Amino acid sequence: MTDHPESAHHGSTQAPSTVWTGRATNHFQWLLALAGAGCMALGIELAVASPWSSGLTPLLMSVIGCLAVGLLILFGTLAFVHVAVKVDGDALEVRCGHAGLPRRRILLDHVVGAEYVPRINPRQWGGWGYRWRPEQGTAVVVRKGEGMALRLGDGRTFTVTVDDAETAVRFIRERLHLTGRGGRDRD
């Protein structure tokens, strides 16, 4: 989706928007977060109302284990429930989850190419989340589906899953005066 000025009307003489925003959501991650909350609830239940007769050490290990696993699952999944992408005149910014962390900001001056990727599969990257693979580069993958890949000036690649990625690529190419194949126009 593209942010448009509120006062712009069809046929107006105002300049097109200078900011593009997009988002991708993975609803399945909420189920995993629910499992993390369940582990935490089990740990609390064990701590409060457990008639363990085998001693304090096994009880503490169970409580701490359930709470730790629950927190790891809960925060690990909530960080990648959705991704928000913002492209303005200077940079592309990617924020993950409700807290906006992890966050990545790439200056458009460092981008030499932008490609639409119609099908990104988490299995290609080793799962959901913020990923790095030596042969593929870095990616933020929150769901299966469309996305975009940016080729950076240092030879690395950054890929992100986002809805309406084709419009995002077009928006980036317009800002950088890139040709349809992703390379810079030659003047």
Side-chain angles (χ1 to χ4, degrees), residues 43-83:
I44 293 169
E45 174 69 23
L46 288 172
V48 173
S50 180
W52 281 47
S53 59
S54 57
L56 184 62
T57 303
L59 175 62
L60 278 176
M61 289 173 43
S62 298
V63 169
I64 291 170
C66 285
L67 292 176
V69 167
L71 283 172
L72 285 173
I73 292 172
L74 187 62
F75 289 117
T77 57
L78 289 181
F80 295 102
V81 167
H82 66 84
V83 63

Side-chain angles (χ1 to χ4, degrees), residues 14-35:
Q14 290 185 356
S17 175
T18 59
V19 176
W20 181 90
T21 58
R23 183 179 178 104
T25 302
N26 183 342
H27 298 291
F28 180 71
Q29 293 281 71
W30 286 108
L31 292 175
L32 295 175
L34 188 61

Side-chain angles (χ1 to χ4, degrees), residues 94 104 106 115 117 120 124-125 129-131 136-141 146-151 157-162:
V94 177
R104 172 101 188 249
I106 300 172
E115 299 293 328
V117 183
I120 296 173
Q124 295 169 310
W125 289 95
Y130 199 103
R131 299 295 181 176
Q136 290 178 284
T138 307
V140 176
V141 180
E146 69 177 315
M148 65 177 156
L150 302 177
R151 282 192 327 277
T157 302
F158 180 75
T159 304
V160 61
T161 54
V162 65

Side-chain angles (χ1 to χ4, degrees), residues 107-153:
L107 296 176
L108 292 182
D109 290 344
H110 297 145
V111 176
V112 296
E115 299 293 328
Y116 171 71
V117 183
R119 198 82 177 138
I120 296 173
N121 192 326
R123 282 185 278 158
Q124 295 169 310
W125 289 95
W128 293 310
Y130 199 103
R131 299 295 181 176
W132 175 76
R133 300 210 39 182
E135 69 279 0
Q136 290 178 284
T138 307
V140 176
V141 180
V142 296
R143 53 121 172 99
K144 180 174 25 173
E146 69 177 315
M148 65 177 156
L150 302 177
R151 282 192 327 277
L152 307 178

